[in-house]
Amino acid sequence: MTKKMLQKMLIASLIGYLVACANPVRTLTKQQLIEDKAAFAQEYEDDLNVMAKKSQVRLATEYHHQAQQSYDILVLSGGGAYGAFGAGFLKGWGNVSDSELARPDFDSVSGISTGALIAPFAFVGTEESYEQIVNLYRNPDKGMVVPRSIISFLTGSQAYYDARVLHKRINESITPSLVNTISEKGSKNSTLIVGATNLDYGVMRVWDLSEIAKTQDSQNARKDITQKLIASSAIPSAFPPVTIDGHLYVDGGASMQVVSGIDDRSWLYEENSTSMEFVEANRPLRLRIWIIVNNKLVLDPDVVRNAWSSIATRSLVSLMRGSTLQTIQDIETFSHMINKRSDFDVEMRFVSIPQHFEIRTSDDLFDSQTMQELVELGEKMGADPKSWKSRALRPGASILKN
């Protein structure tokens, strides 16, 4: 996303604030929100407990039935059109023959924003599904999103862009066949996690789409999954928010750029966790965490104009990059801490768009040439095992050598 586009969105947000009285009035009151908070939290906790239970069962099943067992977690970040890099990387990764670094059949896939749109295809994990997601990014529809006129804001528009074509493309990509396959994998206790930001409570909300596919009929599951993917990728002010159960949801990147799917931290504190009793002495449980960042890790140097729009834009992008770095460091720390236990063997690797790679600027949010170049870069890097890094940058000093 270019500076110019971010500035337009910030201006659109300001205009939207100034003419808020023209926007559709919501019937939800603050008192209702407060009263509903306990129920919302309980539903969320129940969902997280189901995910944790599925993961424990999957861990035990793989451990007992696979001689070279490993529980593989794929984490896909946000990045808008730059998701073309991640789509290309996953496809290129399929050409790696080294058994240690070859693309695995993932046990857990999680995604935010553009990463959420990629996640279902990586979860299915067939060559056909990887090719399908690459084609979606390589060939964006003309007019995928269209800027609205200033008049639309004055009459109550919720977003800078008209994203109906994008939403139609997302809906068409989630086919009944894809939903059925997601359900089948969910029945084997794999998890497909996507996250969106609940603006009313100001928190990340994640869902396991494989559980949705497994517990609902195909038609309703397809509709529900599509809705949550659109919510996860609804860039604030750029795309319209999505109403789910009466609450407004926007891009998961508004709260976190990366969601790892590692929510159960009890392993760090319980030396003899009952859920890990199946692990044999001298045969630790392998966890491999693969993170694909659909962006550069560090901002390119730029002279910022001493104007509110430039300052606000640069600050917002800096905050987002810092959040990504912090999460990667958190996962790295998690890996090192859990490796202190004899029953675990954890590896964390990540990859991102290289700092030296020049991303062409465009006013088109989904510029086809830019996306094509990123797909090609991703395919090339995915086929090279040396692309992976294992040492996180320091969030507060990422410009320094680590």
Side-chain angles (χ1 to χ4, degrees):
M1 191 180 304
T2 66
K3 290 191 302 179
K4 192 172 181 180
M5 284 185 282
L6 278 169
Q7 287 171 349
K8 286 179 180 178
M9 287 176 223
L10 285 167
I11 293 170
S13 296
L14 179 61
I15 294 173
Y17 174 77
L18 294 173
V19 298
C21 58
N23 286 332
V25 178
R26 299 180 66 197
T27 58
L28 180 69
T29 67
K30 186 171 182 179
Q31 184 58 37
Q32 288 175 320
L33 197 63
I34 293 171
E35 292 172 356
D36 292 345
K37 185 176 180 180
F40 173 84
Q42 186 61 59
E43 180 186 47
Y44 195 1
E45 184 176 8
D46 290 344
D47 284 354
L48 292 175
N49 288 337
V50 170
M51 293 180 213
K53 181 63 177 177
K54 285 175 64 177
S55 296
Q56 290 171 7
V57 173
R58 178 80 177 183
L59 282 164
T61 301
E62 288 222 331
Y63 187 85
H64 289 305
H65 294 92
Q66 294 191 30
Q68 298 296 323
Q69 62 80 28
S70 68
Y71 189 89
D72 289 282
I73 300 170
L74 175 65
V75 181
L76 298 159
S77 84
Y82 296 175
F85 168 76
F89 190 96
L90 285 164
K91 184 173 184 292
W93 192 1
N95 295 319
V96 175
S97 58
D98 182 340
S99 59
E100 278 298 301
L101 295 173
R103 187 185 66 203
D105 179 17
F106 299 106
D107 302 285
S108 173
V109 177
S110 63
I112 289 291
S113 192
T114 196
L117 301 183
I118 299 171
F121 301 89
F123 183 74
V124 169
T126 62
E127 291 302 325
E128 181 182 2
S129 67
Y130 283 122
E131 187 63 39
Q132 185 177 358
I133 194 59
V134 163
N135 286 336
L136 286 172
Y137 279 89
R138 181 184 278 134
N139 303 301
D141 290 338
K142 188 175 182 180
M144 185 92 81
V145 293
V146 181
R148 301 181 192 269
S149 69
I150 192 67
I151 299 299
S152 67
F153 294 111
L154 299 177
T155 55
S157 174
Q158 297 172 304
Y160 180 76
Y161 288 99
D162 180 338
R164 283 177 293 182
V165 175
L166 171 63
H167 294 169
K168 181 174 181 289
R169 188 84 181 262
I170 293 172
N171 180 61
E172 291 173 346
S173 71
I174 306 302
T175 63
S177 175
L178 186 75
V179 171
N180 289 337
T181 306
I182 291 172
S183 174
E184 290 171 7
K185 291 206 68 175
S187 297
K188 297 176 183 177
N189 296 302
S190 295
T191 55
L192 171 56
I193 301 168
V194 302
T197 301
N198 182 312
L199 287 181
D200 294 316
Y201 288 122
V203 298
M204 169 71 75
R205 175 67 160 100
V206 300
W207 298 276
D208 178 3
L209 301 188
S210 70
E211 193 66 15
I212 291 173
K214 187 179 74 171
T215 57
Q216 297 184 25
D217 64 77
S218 181
Q219 185 175 355
N220 286 329
R222 181 171 178 263
K223 182 178 179 180
D224 199 356
I225 289 171
T226 301
Q227 180 192 50
K228 289 175 170 59
L229 291 177
I230 291 174
S232 181
S233 57
I235 302 171
S237 296
F239 302 154
V242 177
T243 301
I244 300 176
D245 297 329
H247 295 154
L248 279 189
Y249 284 86
V250 296
D251 197 315
S255 47
M256 294 176 66
Q257 287 298 298
V258 177
V259 58
S260 66
I262 304 173
D263 295 301
D264 186 359
R265 296 299 176 102
S266 62
W267 296 341
L268 298 178
Y269 310 107
E270 300 174 12
E271 182 61 32
N272 298 307
S273 173
T274 55
S275 63
M276 296 294 112
E277 288 180 346
F278 61 86
V279 178
E280 303 166 4
N282 302 318
R283 186 175 175 244
L285 180 68
R286 292 189 72 199
L287 288 178
R288 297 194 299 176
I289 306 167
W290 312 87
I291 306 170
I292 299 178
V293 179
N294 293 300
N295 218 321
K296 296 183 179 181
L297 291 178
V298 182
L299 280 173
D300 291 327
D302 194 13
V303 177
V304 180
R305 291 189 304 110
N306 192 13
W308 77 265
S309 59
S310 296
I311 293 170
T313 301
R314 186 72 170 180
S315 299
L316 176 61
V317 177
S318 179
L319 178 65
M320 293 165 65
R321 300 296 172 86
S323 171
T324 301
L325 292 175
Q326 188 65 60
T327 305
I328 294 174
Q329 187 179 64
D330 176 57
I331 297 173
E332 179 189 51
T333 302
F334 171 87
S335 301
H336 285 304
M337 288 182 67
I338 204 172
N339 269 336
K340 293 181 181 295
R341 290 183 47 159
S342 60
D343 49 353
F344 278 97
D345 176 14
V346 185
E347 301 170 5
M348 185 277 288
R349 295 183 178 87
F350 68 93
V351 68
S352 63
I353 298 174
Q355 291 300 134
H356 61 78
F357 185 79
E358 185 174 348
I359 303 176
R360 64 191 303 273
T361 59
S362 171
D363 286 340
D364 187 351
L365 197 58
F366 292 97
D367 180 74
S368 59
Q369 185 175 341
T370 299
M371 295 172 75
Q372 177 64 41
E373 290 172 356
L374 286 170
V375 166
E376 292 174 358
L377 171 69
E379 288 182 336
K380 181 179 179 180
M381 290 182 62
D384 182 4
K386 294 179 181 178
S387 298
W388 293 106
K389 309 296 181 185
S390 58
R391 186 174 180 181
L393 300 180
R394 283 180 282 171
S398 57
I399 200 170
L400 304 179
K401 291 183 178 179
N402 284 260

